Amino acid sequence: MKNYLNKNLLTVSIIFSALLVASSIVVNYSLDTLQKISSIVGSLSLGVALVTYFYKKRQDELSATIDQIVFFREKIIPYSNEVKKAIMKAYPDFVFSKIDLINPDINYLRDKYSENFKRQQSILIDVSKKYPDVYFEIDILNQQVFLLNMLEELALKVIHLQTKESSALKSIHYAFVEMVEYNALALLFMRDIQSGNSMYAEVLDLYKTWKKEVEEIPFIIKNLEKNGFITKEQREDFYNTRRKKKGY
């Protein structure tokens, strides 16, 4: 397609230039005419170059976006499912809950999402143990960290290849945001306690951008009630139950 486009543009440019040259010779051959023709031909060449550049840029962005989606679906999602299985195996009664990281401050989140915070803490650290070196659930934490590292790799690609706003990536927005929120405490633990530096900065950057998109998506329960599949009372009962589970 690219070669076809380039050949057609080049052909049009050559034909148009030839016509201009021929007409100028017939009508009025002069140095001024030749200068004008050169200017026109130069403009056409620049136009072809610009079209080619933007077409290639668009193709490069599309290729990068496809690679990012494939990486997310073939690598990140399966591993995220493995992490969930490992958690459920170690803690059969564990309830997965989310922590919003728009403000990634541990103390703030401990107060705002107290129940969710306690749930995520229960698989990460147990300070009731006698010795500090066994406070941490290393196996689970290591798996969460590996998942977060994969999310960071994706975020780096998306941000630096400038595909963050690509509509093609909308299909993975929700899943990305959900993974970050399910593993929020592990992320904060590695940033603020383990390393004390800005680890996962790109994850949080991408998360904040896509979180806004996810919040704008109509929730399925609203649409079920709107289209007559459930009653208003059933919708409210669902929301009340959801709030209790999430701790707010």
Side-chain angles (χ1 to χ4, degrees), residues 81-208:
N81 291 335
E82 290 301 314
V83 174
K84 288 181 180 179
K85 288 178 184 177
I87 291 172
M88 292 305 299
K89 183 177 179 180
Y91 304 93
D93 297 326
F94 181 75
V95 177
F96 287 93
S97 55
K98 304 174 187 178
I99 296 177
D100 187 318
L101 286 179
I102 291 299
N103 180 7
D105 177 84
I106 287 182
N107 292 319
Y108 167 80
L109 296 172
R110 181 184 286 111
D111 293 335
K112 183 171 178 61
Y113 300 98
S114 57
E115 293 302 317
N116 295 10
F117 197 94
K118 288 176 183 176
R119 290 190 189 102
Q120 291 199 19
Q121 180 176 301
S122 70
I123 62 169
L124 178 64
I125 181 172
D126 183 357
V127 293
S128 67
K129 292 181 178 179
K130 185 175 181 181
Y131 300 105
D133 60 344
V134 292
Y135 281 170
F136 311 111
E137 302 294 343
I138 299 299
D139 290 341
I140 296 297
L141 177 60
N142 284 343
Q143 291 182 70
Q144 288 181 293
V145 167
F146 191 82
L147 174 61
L148 290 167
N149 289 343
M150 295 174 76
L151 292 175
E152 180 77 348
E153 181 181 344
L154 174 69
L156 280 165
K157 291 177 180 178
V158 169
I159 292 169
H160 293 288
L161 293 176
Q162 300 180 350
T163 59
K164 184 161 61 170
E165 306 295 340
S166 171
S167 59
L169 287 177
K170 286 184 181 294
S171 62
I172 69 171
H173 286 189
Y174 182 83
F176 178 90
V177 169
E178 185 178 64
M179 286 180 196
V180 173
E181 293 184 343
Y182 277 153
N183 298 278
L185 190 54
L187 184 152
L188 295 173
F189 177 85
M190 295 304 297
R191 277 173 60 91
D192 300 335
I193 298 174
Q194 179 74 10
S195 67
N197 60 34
S198 57
M199 287 181 69
Y200 305 124
E202 278 72 19
V203 166
L204 290 173
D205 183 344
L206 190 59
Y207 166 82
K208 289 176 182 178

Side-chain angles (χ1 to χ4, degrees), residues 31-57:
L31 180 61
D32 182 59
T33 301
L34 284 177
Q35 288 175 335
K36 289 178 180 178
I37 291 171
S38 297
S39 175
I40 292 170
V41 172
S43 298
L44 283 169
S45 298
L46 178 61
V48 171
L50 285 173
V51 170
T52 302
Y53 167 77
F54 285 113
Y55 180 80
K56 185 177 185 304
K57 186 172 184 291

